[in-house]
Amino acid sequence: QGFSVEVAERIAAPQRSSTRTIYKSKWALFGKGCRDNSVDFSSPSVKQISDFFMYLYQDLNSCPSTIDGYTTAIVDTLGPSGQHIAHNEDLHRLLSSFHRDRPKSSRNLPKWNLSVVLNELTKAPFEPMKDSDLKHLTLKTAFLLALASGKCRSEIHAWVANKVSNLGQWEKVALFPSSDFIAKNQLAREGSQSVSPVTILALTTIVD
């Protein structure tokens, strides 16, 4: 359409890198299917897309939500030429039948008792701290930080060690994310400044 290379690359990939990586892997499988069946992947028909979805459902035993993801990835990659796929009623009904016959199963998380876990952390190989090796000390620290902060894994990974600040006489600490961190539920334009620091109170009055 006459765009420069730089502009075209940004228009083609407005999502975050993690989303683009997922789309790329899904498109790679779709592209392989097109090549194997002599299909022009730049302008697939609704029938050809339907056959691909049936392959995912029957041969690969993909769950319906995974196939929904393929729909999004294909439509996004094709751009304007993929809008007939996004709004096709027959494809919508096909996907609905997948959800009907293979409903999402509830995951039964393993049962565990927080008090038991915390009690075990007061024993070897976690305590006494001077005798604990780096592996067990790291596991204990990561678990307690996750528990105390209630933050998701990505934000915990983004905390920067040299930005930790203590308030008072280590009565509490404030943890700050990396300057380029963007939370999953944020818009990139908001920037990391919209991510509030995490404040964790000390337990010195409770634990020796």
Side-chain angles (χ1 to χ4, degrees), residues 25-45:
S25 66
K26 294 184 182 301
W27 178 262
L29 181 59
F30 173 67
K32 181 179 183 302
C34 289
R35 290 191 299 273
D36 292 344
N37 294 281
S38 300
V39 173
D40 181 3
F41 60 81
S42 65
S43 58
S45 67

Side-chain angles (χ1 to χ4, degrees), residues 53-196:
F53 286 171
M54 284 302 299
Y55 164 73
L56 295 175
Y57 184 77
Q58 293 182 331
D59 296 12
L60 299 189
N61 200 34
S62 299
C63 63
S65 60
T66 298
I67 302 176
D68 290 342
Y70 274 93
T71 306
T72 304
I74 293 171
V75 170
D76 184 85
T77 304
L78 290 176
S81 63
Q83 292 306 303
H84 69 292
I85 298 172
H87 303 294
N88 184 269
E89 182 62 25
D90 290 328
L91 280 177
H92 176 74
R93 291 167 68 87
L94 176 65
L95 293 172
S96 295
S97 76
F98 293 160
H99 283 275
R100 179 200 64 211
D101 293 340
R102 193 174 291 170
K104 186 176 182 180
S105 58
S106 59
R107 292 191 297 173
N108 295 321
L109 298 177
K111 296 180 179 180
W112 63 289
N113 189 305
L114 177 58
S115 61
V116 172
V117 175
L118 292 177
N119 184 58
E120 290 300 314
L121 291 179
T122 65
K123 305 174 183 178
F126 303 102
E127 292 291 344
M129 187 179 294
K130 62 183 179 63
D131 298 328
S132 180
D133 60 25
L134 181 60
K135 174 184 175 181
H136 290 95
L137 182 59
T138 300
L139 289 173
K140 179 176 179 177
T141 301
F143 175 79
L144 292 177
L145 283 174
L147 184 65
S149 66
K151 296 299 182 179
C152 63
R153 178 174 54 187
S154 61
E155 187 166 346
I156 293 175
H157 274 285
W159 289 336
V160 180
N162 59 15
K163 285 189 177 181
V164 175
S165 61
N166 74 88
L167 307 174
Q169 297 299 315
W170 288 98
E171 295 174 355
K172 51 187 173 181
V173 296
L175 306 174
F176 295 83
S178 171
S179 58
D180 59 354
F181 172 70
I182 303 296
K184 192 173 182 179
N185 59 350
Q186 287 182 291
L187 295 175
R189 66 176 66 95
E190 295 175 353
S192 62
Q193 297 303 314
S194 59
V195 180
S196 301

